[in-house]
Amino acid sequence: MTVVNHHDTTIARAFNYVGYGFEIITKESDNYDLLRQRIVASIDAGTPVLAFGIIGPPECSLICGYDEDGTVLFGWSHFQSRDPADLAANGMFKTSKWYDDLWKIVLCGAPQTTSINVRDIVKHGLAIATASYLGDSDNPGGEEGMYAASSLAYDAWMEYISREVYDNMPNEELRRQYWFHHTMVGSNAEAKAYLGNFLHYHTAGDPELGRIAELYDEIHNLSWRIWEVAGGSNNKEAYLALADSAKRAAIVDLLNQMKLLELQGVDGFTAWLADKE
């Protein structure tokens, strides 16, 4: 359910799809000045810079300005402080310690012709969705035994939830076991919501993509119903649901509904691609 590309592959696919060149520069032990100079040059040219890891976890933030020749950077991040005392006058974060937690930057290049289309994306996605096992999604099925994929992944998830050992498990361990499940629900919900939105965006004149999008919309909705079984996504005692056999059974039933919808989506994509040949 959680498919992992090499991180740079994800970046490359995004830029190739929208039709722009790009350059990735990863933080090294001695390239502070290089990174600073390239960020300054991009900002001076009027183009913000993507940066991973400046604020909080190694998620993407947007560098929009600088001071003191780039030793101080300004930008926006989901994880920035909300306290005005910590921010620039316009609300952006301000930091001179940006290099400490930096992972990499991405510089946006010039517009370019893109050959990527919806059919190519669906074809690659279908290869991932029909693989029995995945090492990473760059080579679907190429690393047997790494991670269960497709219906086998749902089967493994349902088996995980169904364990009777939870009945007498200490709370701390139960909490850890539930956290893995909770994270899977969230990742699956987010991925299917974005997939549904992407397909809806491309449904003009293509009702079949719209129908498939609705399947993934429903998987997203089922994710919230799974959380509700345990009292909601923010319930601090949700982990106790694992020790309740009736709630485990209810979660498994919802996961099985997800699995069936996922398989319908695969069938739909397969037929859609065959029609495009």
Side-chain angles (χ1 to χ4, degrees), residues 37 105 111 189 200:
Q37 291 165 8
I105 66 169
H200 282 302

Side-chain angles (χ1 to χ4, degrees), residues 36-221:
R36 179 182 58 79
Q37 291 165 8
R38 297 300 301 277
I39 291 170
V40 167
S42 185
I43 297 298
D44 285 348
T47 305
V49 175
L50 301 178
F52 291 84
I54 287 183
I55 303 293
E59 302 286 346
C60 190
S61 59
L62 189 65
I63 302 173
C64 302
Y66 69 87
D67 199 1
E68 299 178 24
D69 201 27
T71 60
V72 176
L73 297 181
F74 300 86
W76 299 102
S77 168
H78 173 77
F79 299 97
Q80 71 188 61
S81 169
R82 299 300 189 264
D83 185 346
D86 299 328
L87 307 173
N90 61 359
M92 290 193 289
F93 68 74
K94 175 182 179 181
T95 179
S96 61
K97 298 180 179 180
W98 56 268
Y99 188 75
D100 294 350
D101 296 317
L102 181 68
W103 175 15
K104 65 179 68 172
I105 66 169
V106 184
L107 301 164
C108 184
Q112 62 184 21
T113 302
T114 179
S115 60
I116 296 178
N117 54 46
V118 176
R119 182 182 176 279
D120 293 333
I121 293 171
V122 170
K123 188 174 183 179
H124 181 76
L126 188 60
I128 295 169
T130 55
S132 296
Y133 295 93
L134 290 172
D136 64 73
S137 65
D138 296 332
N139 185 21
E143 296 186 54
E144 289 294 316
M146 291 292 290
Y147 300 100
S150 189
S151 62
L152 291 182
Y154 279 102
D155 290 342
W157 194 356
M158 288 187 279
E159 180 182 356
Y160 181 87
I161 290 297
S162 300
R163 296 172 182 171
E164 294 181 0
V165 69
Y166 298 134
D167 290 339
N168 300 301
M169 185 173 285
N171 280 0
E172 282 305 308
E173 179 60 21
L174 197 65
R175 186 180 285 109
R176 284 192 291 270
Q177 297 290 328
Y178 182 81
W179 178 250
F180 176 75
H181 160 74
H182 172 82
T183 303
M184 286 295 296
V185 177
S187 297
N188 203 37
E190 184 178 63
K192 299 309 158 53
Y194 283 123
L195 175 54
N197 289 341
F198 175 81
L199 293 172
H200 282 302
Y201 181 79
H202 291 282
T203 55
D206 199 326
E208 180 60 13
L209 283 184
R211 185 192 71 79
I212 297 171
E214 290 174 358
L215 297 175
Y216 292 102
D217 292 342
E218 182 57 25
I219 293 176
H220 170 263
N221 294 337

